[in-house]
Amino acid sequence: MRFNVLKYWIVLAGCLPSFVMAEEPVIAVIVSAQAAYSVPVTVNDLAPIYWRKKLYGNQGRPLHPANLSTEHPLRQRFSQQVLHSSPKAQLGYWNGLYFQGIQPPYTVESQEAMIRYVAYTESAIGYIEACKLDERVRALVWLTANKIQSEPPVLHCDTGN
């Protein structure tokens, strides 16, 4: 009897998927690398910029924040870490500001679209997976799984495509 129970558990354990916790990607908050201007952004600036409470940079230029689509996992995480709410919970807020003439951040559908928007739009700011950084943009702030920081963390990027 013990042998059958042990055999049953061994077979059952072999059928179960092995769950490996995937490491959360580091999110890089980005601005254009080519721009002659500087968008000085600190950890404390992110929420007011994305809530559209800070509309202009230090040099008087209008800031143009961009979001990924509402369902994108990076948008979900960015919203939770920086804005302390979900994208869906923000809809009422944006509906109220719309009638005051304040538009929500521009929305793009992919990380490549985010890079292009930020690289070629003056005073734009956005976010992507840090491992997707390229010469078109530069990172100002980093979001790891548990904190927001201004110093770049150690990245573990998969370079084999």
Side-chain angles (χ1 to χ4, degrees):
M1 177 76 165
R2 283 181 113 192
F3 179 73
N4 287 339
V5 171
L6 180 59
K7 185 176 173 183
Y8 170 78
W9 283 110
I10 290 172
V11 170
L12 181 63
C15 294
L16 294 175
S18 58
F19 293 102
V20 178
M21 292 293 285
E23 187 175 311
E24 293 268 348
V26 173
I27 297 174
V29 176
I30 58 171
V31 295
S32 175
Q34 306 303 323
Y37 64 90
S38 174
V39 179
V41 173
T42 67
V43 171
N44 296 331
D45 291 328
L46 283 179
I49 289 171
Y50 272 85
W51 284 121
R52 306 295 286 145
K53 292 180 179 186
K54 181 175 182 174
L55 300 174
Y56 297 93
N58 293 347
Q59 298 167 341
R61 289 189 170 94
L63 295 170
H64 301 285
N67 270 323
L68 290 164
S69 63
T70 304
E71 300 302 320
H72 197 288
L74 288 185
R75 166 86 180 267
Q76 298 282 330
R77 198 167 123 223
F78 180 87
S79 291
Q80 288 299 326
Q81 272 187 275
V82 173
L83 305 175
H84 307 291
S85 71
S86 72
K88 289 185 180 182
Q90 297 163 16
L91 290 176
Y93 175 80
W94 293 117
N95 287 339
L97 286 182
Y98 177 80
F99 293 105
Q100 296 174 26
I102 299 174
Q103 297 288 323
Y106 185 72
T107 301
V108 298
E109 293 300 316
S110 70
Q111 292 183 74
E112 177 59 28
M114 179 70 79
I115 292 169
R116 289 178 185 183
Y117 177 79
V118 169
Y120 303 113
T121 303
E122 186 175 357
S123 299
I125 183 169
Y127 52 89
I128 57 172
E129 285 181 37
C131 288
K132 295 195 182 295
L133 285 167
D134 65 25
E135 67 282 347
R136 297 173 288 177
V137 294
R138 63 185 169 94
L140 298 178
V141 178
W142 310 83
L143 282 67
T144 62
N146 58 2
K147 67 180 177 176
I148 302 171
Q149 59 193 57
S150 54
E151 294 297 318
V154 175
L155 298 176
H156 303 285
C157 301
D158 180 18
T159 56
N161 289 333

